[in-house]
Amino acid sequence: DDAENEAQFQARIDAEEFIEPKDWMPEGYRKTLVRQMSQHAHSEIVGMLPEGNWVTRAPTLKRKMILVAKIQDEAGHGLYIYSGAETLGTSREQMVDDLHSGKAKYSTIFNYPTMTWADVGAVGWLVDGAAITNQIPLCRCSYGPYARAMIRVCKEESFHQRQGYESLLAMVKGTDAQKKMVQDAFDRLFWPSLMMFGPPDSDQPPSQNMKWKIKRFTNDELRQRFVDATIPQAEFLGLKIPEGVVWNEDTNHYDFPELDWDEFWAVVKGDGVCNDDRLNSRRKAIDEGAWVREAAEAYAEKQKIQQAA
Ligand code: ACO
């Protein structure tokens, strides 16, 4: 019965076994994973938009090639994670419909605009840096297909983080105007990148996700890890560190001020600067691509008939 199944399931999780698609799992586990994996996949896909905005304006051929490669990687991550989520019994079509109807979410960070070329570097450094911090522990997530997908995704994210940091490093060695641009990108994107880790632990009931080992660390633990790694990198770039961010000798961590959680929830609920723009772009892409899907289906149908003949 269910109680017995659930006890056995938890015992497998406690023994660090992976749960696979055909294994018994509690409905809540399945639902949580579909929610998280679909949101994650949507984030990868929507995350292509703020960067795609800069492909035609990349300052050199080299930068353009790197940017295009990175954006293609993000598309791959999205498709990879949608496939992983489909093993839980929800179709990709359903997940995409839920995104377009506003039912499913994607990361708040992609509702902030990329206004300058330095923003593109800062997205690589901060946004992909935060994504890696969050996703390395997901390589040990209890759901096998998700954990395995994360291994490759993290390797590619690591390249994304480095290319972003390297492009900012080039800019801070440049003119005063370039240095100012990097500082401005950091000042604007640092706080939203900390919000990527989700609401504070104090808002949360004891987490079922932790017990199921979907999550291995709390939102605040990962946020702190990211701040501790990022501030020395900002110092190396010669940037001015935001007010209130100070090294604490007693804790061996950086203290930082409370984030603007009202802003966070407003962006989650759809009131960010770019929410409408992002969703409209996705809806338009699906509508305008309909003829390609129809043509592919018609071609497949024709092949089938020819093979049968
Ligand atoms: N943006 C949008 N929604 C968020 C964010 C965020 N930055 N942080 C939390 N939320 C949502 C959660 O999805 C949840 O909403 P729901 O229950 O309505 O679906 C709600 O806020 C409460 O948050 P938590 O209880 O902390 O949610 P959860 O346990 O899922 O933790 C986290 C949130 C850390 C983002 C988790 O879902 C996760 O690790 N996701 C996988 C990684 C991911 O999505 N990365 C995208 C980043 S960008 C990229 O990879 C390209």
Side-chain angles (χ1 to χ4, degrees), residues 9 18-20 22 26 59 71 96 101 123 152 173 177 201 215 223 238 240 243 251 257 263-264:
F9 174 83
F18 282 128
I19 305 301
E20 298 298 339
K22 289 186 175 151
I71 295 171
V96 172
S101 73
V123 165
R152 173 176 177 163
K173 289 183 191 148
D201 296 354
K215 269 178 158 172
R223 188 169 10 251
K240 187 172 159 287
E243 213 169 305
T251 60
E263 174 181 315
F264 170 79

Short mmCIF file of all heavy atoms in Angstrom, two decimals, residues 9 18-20 22 26 59 71 96 101 123 152 173 177 201 215 223 238 240 243 251 257 263-264:
data_model
loop_
_atom_site.label_atom_id
_atom_site.label_comp_id
_atom_site.label_asym_id
_atom_site.label_seq_id
_atom_site.Cartn_x
_atom_site.Cartn_y
_atom_site.Cartn_z
N PHE A 9 10.39 4.05 -0.54
CA PHE A 9 10.90 5.13 -1.39
C PHE A 9 11.88 6.00 -0.60
O PHE A 9 13.00 6.28 -1.03
CB PHE A 9 9.71 5.96 -1.89
CG PHE A 9 10.07 7.20 -2.66
CD1 PHE A 9 10.38 7.13 -4.01
CD2 PHE A 9 10.11 8.44 -2.04
CE1 PHE A 9 10.70 8.28 -4.73
CE2 PHE A 9 10.44 9.59 -2.75
CZ PHE A 9 10.74 9.50 -4.10
N PHE A 18 19.43 6.56 -6.82
CA PHE A 18 18.66 7.39 -7.75
C PHE A 18 17.28 6.81 -7.94
O PHE A 18 17.11 5.59 -8.01
CB PHE A 18 19.35 7.46 -9.11
CG PHE A 18 20.52 8.41 -9.16
CD1 PHE A 18 21.76 7.98 -9.63
CD2 PHE A 18 20.37 9.73 -8.77
CE1 PHE A 18 22.83 8.85 -9.70
CE2 PHE A 18 21.45 10.61 -8.82
CZ PHE A 18 22.68 10.17 -9.28
N ILE A 19 16.28 7.69 -8.09
CA ILE A 19 14.94 7.27 -8.47
C ILE A 19 14.86 7.40 -9.99
O ILE A 19 15.29 8.40 -10.56
CB ILE A 19 13.88 8.19 -7.81
CG1 ILE A 19 14.06 8.22 -6.29
CG2 ILE A 19 12.46 7.77 -8.21
CD1 ILE A 19 13.98 6.89 -5.58
N GLU A 20 14.35 6.37 -10.65
CA GLU A 20 14.28 6.36 -12.11
C GLU A 20 12.82 6.45 -12.58
O GLU A 20 11.91 6.16 -11.81
CB GLU A 20 14.98 5.11 -12.66
CG GLU A 20 16.47 5.02 -12.32
CD GLU A 20 17.32 6.17 -12.90
OE1 GLU A 20 16.87 6.82 -13.87
OE2 GLU A 20 18.43 6.42 -12.37
N LYS A 22 10.53 4.78 -14.14
CA LYS A 22 9.49 3.76 -13.98
C LYS A 22 9.32 3.33 -12.52
O LYS A 22 8.47 2.51 -12.22
CB LYS A 22 9.79 2.57 -14.87
CG LYS A 22 9.56 2.93 -16.32
CD LYS A 22 9.69 1.77 -17.25
CE LYS A 22 9.32 2.20 -18.66
NZ LYS A 22 10.02 1.42 -19.67
N PRO A 26 6.01 9.07 -4.80
CA PRO A 26 4.82 9.77 -4.31
C PRO A 26 4.40 10.84 -5.32
O PRO A 26 5.25 11.41 -6.00
CB PRO A 26 5.29 10.45 -3.01
CG PRO A 26 6.61 9.83 -2.67
CD PRO A 26 7.18 9.28 -3.92
N PRO A 59 30.81 43.41 -30.08
CA PRO A 59 31.83 44.34 -30.58
C PRO A 59 32.85 43.74 -31.55
O PRO A 59 33.43 44.49 -32.34
CB PRO A 59 32.51 44.83 -29.30
CG PRO A 59 32.20 43.82 -28.25
CD PRO A 59 30.88 43.22 -28.62
N ILE A 71 24.55 30.93 -26.47
CA ILE A 71 23.09 30.94 -26.58
C ILE A 71 22.60 29.58 -27.10
O ILE A 71 21.59 29.04 -26.63
CB ILE A 71 22.62 32.10 -27.49
CG1 ILE A 71 22.98 33.45 -26.83
CG2 ILE A 71 21.12 32.03 -27.73
CD1 ILE A 71 22.77 34.65 -27.73
N VAL A 96 5.07 23.88 -22.14
CA VAL A 96 5.20 25.16 -22.88
C VAL A 96 3.89 25.94 -22.80
O VAL A 96 3.89 27.16 -22.60
CB VAL A 96 5.65 24.90 -24.33
CG1 VAL A 96 5.59 26.18 -25.16
CG2 VAL A 96 7.07 24.34 -24.35
N SER A 101 0.71 30.52 -20.75
CA SER A 101 -0.50 30.99 -20.08
C SER A 101 -0.16 31.71 -18.77
O SER A 101 -1.03 32.26 -18.11
CB SER A 101 -1.44 29.81 -19.78
OG SER A 101 -0.89 29.04 -18.72
N VAL A 123 26.00 39.05 -17.27
CA VAL A 123 25.08 37.90 -17.26
C VAL A 123 25.90 36.61 -17.19
O VAL A 123 25.61 35.71 -16.39
CB VAL A 123 24.14 37.92 -18.50
CG1 VAL A 123 23.46 36.56 -18.69
CG2 VAL A 123 23.09 39.00 -18.35
N ARG A 152 26.38 17.62 -17.61
CA ARG A 152 26.80 18.32 -18.83
C ARG A 152 26.45 19.82 -18.76
O ARG A 152 27.23 20.67 -19.17
CB ARG A 152 26.12 17.67 -20.02
CG ARG A 152 26.39 18.43 -21.28
CD ARG A 152 25.79 17.74 -22.45
NE ARG A 152 26.01 18.53 -23.65
CZ ARG A 152 25.90 18.06 -24.86
NH1 ARG A 152 25.58 16.80 -25.03
NH2 ARG A 152 26.09 18.83 -25.89
N LYS A 173 40.16 46.81 -18.40
CA LYS A 173 41.50 47.26 -18.80
C LYS A 173 41.41 48.33 -19.88
O LYS A 173 42.42 48.79 -20.40
CB LYS A 173 42.32 46.07 -19.33
CG LYS A 173 42.73 45.10 -18.23
CD LYS A 173 43.59 43.98 -18.81
CE LYS A 173 43.79 42.86 -17.81
NZ LYS A 173 43.92 41.56 -18.49
N ALA A 177 35.22 55.01 -19.84
CA ALA A 177 33.80 54.77 -20.17
C ALA A 177 33.48 53.28 -20.06
O ALA A 177 32.42 52.89 -19.56
CB ALA A 177 33.51 55.27 -21.59
N ASP A 201 15.16 31.60 3.67
CA ASP A 201 14.78 30.39 4.42
C ASP A 201 13.74 30.72 5.50
O ASP A 201 12.91 29.88 5.82
CB ASP A 201 16.01 29.77 5.11
CG ASP A 201 17.04 29.27 4.09
OD1 ASP A 201 16.73 29.30 2.88
OD2 ASP A 201 18.14 28.87 4.51
N LYS A 215 16.52 19.06 -3.35
CA LYS A 215 17.46 20.11 -2.95
C LYS A 215 18.43 19.53 -1.93
O LYS A 215 18.03 18.71 -1.10
CB LYS A 215 16.68 21.21 -2.22
CG LYS A 215 16.16 22.33 -3.09
CD LYS A 215 15.38 23.30 -2.21
CE LYS A 215 15.28 24.67 -2.83
NZ LYS A 215 14.37 25.54 -2.07
N ARG A 223 22.96 31.01 -1.58
CA ARG A 223 23.13 32.44 -1.83
C ARG A 223 24.42 32.94 -1.16
O ARG A 223 25.21 33.66 -1.76
CB ARG A 223 21.90 33.20 -1.27
CG ARG A 223 21.89 34.66 -1.65
CD ARG A 223 20.58 35.40 -1.34
NE ARG A 223 19.62 34.69 -0.55
CZ ARG A 223 18.46 34.21 -1.03
NH1 ARG A 223 18.14 34.39 -2.29
NH2 ARG A 223 17.61 33.57 -0.24
N GLY A 238 38.43 45.23 -9.91
CA GLY A 238 38.60 46.62 -9.49
C GLY A 238 37.28 47.35 -9.28
O GLY A 238 37.22 48.58 -9.33
N LYS A 240 33.83 48.71 -7.34
CA LYS A 240 33.41 49.19 -6.04
C LYS A 240 32.36 48.21 -5.51
O LYS A 240 31.40 47.88 -6.21
CB LYS A 240 32.81 50.59 -6.20
CG LYS A 240 32.49 51.26 -4.90
CD LYS A 240 32.10 52.73 -5.14
CE LYS A 240 31.30 53.25 -3.99
NZ LYS A 240 29.91 52.74 -3.91
N GLU A 243 27.43 48.89 -0.99
CA GLU A 243 27.36 49.27 0.43
C GLU A 243 26.69 48.15 1.24
O GLU A 243 25.71 47.56 0.78
CB GLU A 243 26.52 50.54 0.54
CG GLU A 243 26.98 51.44 1.67
CD GLU A 243 26.31 52.80 1.58
OE1 GLU A 243 26.42 53.44 0.51
OE2 GLU A 243 25.70 53.17 2.58
N THR A 251 32.32 34.98 11.26
CA THR A 251 31.62 33.90 10.54
C THR A 251 32.43 33.38 9.36
O THR A 251 32.10 32.33 8.79
CB THR A 251 30.26 34.41 9.99
OG1 THR A 251 30.52 35.50 9.10
CG2 THR A 251 29.34 34.87 11.11
N PRO A 257 23.19 43.08 2.98
CA PRO A 257 21.88 43.55 3.44
C PRO A 257 20.74 42.66 2.97
O PRO A 257 20.90 41.91 1.99
CB PRO A 257 21.75 44.95 2.80
CG PRO A 257 23.00 45.22 2.06
CD PRO A 257 23.81 43.98 1.99
N GLU A 263 10.30 43.53 -4.37
CA GLU A 263 10.66 43.55 -5.80
C GLU A 263 10.67 42.11 -6.34
O GLU A 263 10.13 41.83 -7.41
CB GLU A 263 12.05 44.19 -5.98
CG GLU A 263 12.56 44.12 -7.41
CD GLU A 263 13.94 44.75 -7.58
OE1 GLU A 263 14.18 45.85 -7.04
OE2 GLU A 263 14.79 44.14 -8.27
N PHE A 264 11.29 41.19 -5.58
CA PHE A 264 11.36 39.79 -6.01
C PHE A 264 9.97 39.24 -6.32
O PHE A 264 9.72 38.71 -7.41
CB PHE A 264 12.05 38.95 -4.93
CG PHE A 264 11.98 37.46 -5.17
CD1 PHE A 264 12.82 36.85 -6.07
CD2 PHE A 264 11.05 36.68 -4.48
CE1 PHE A 264 12.76 35.47 -6.30
CE2 PHE A 264 10.97 35.30 -4.71
CZ PHE A 264 11.83 34.71 -5.61
#
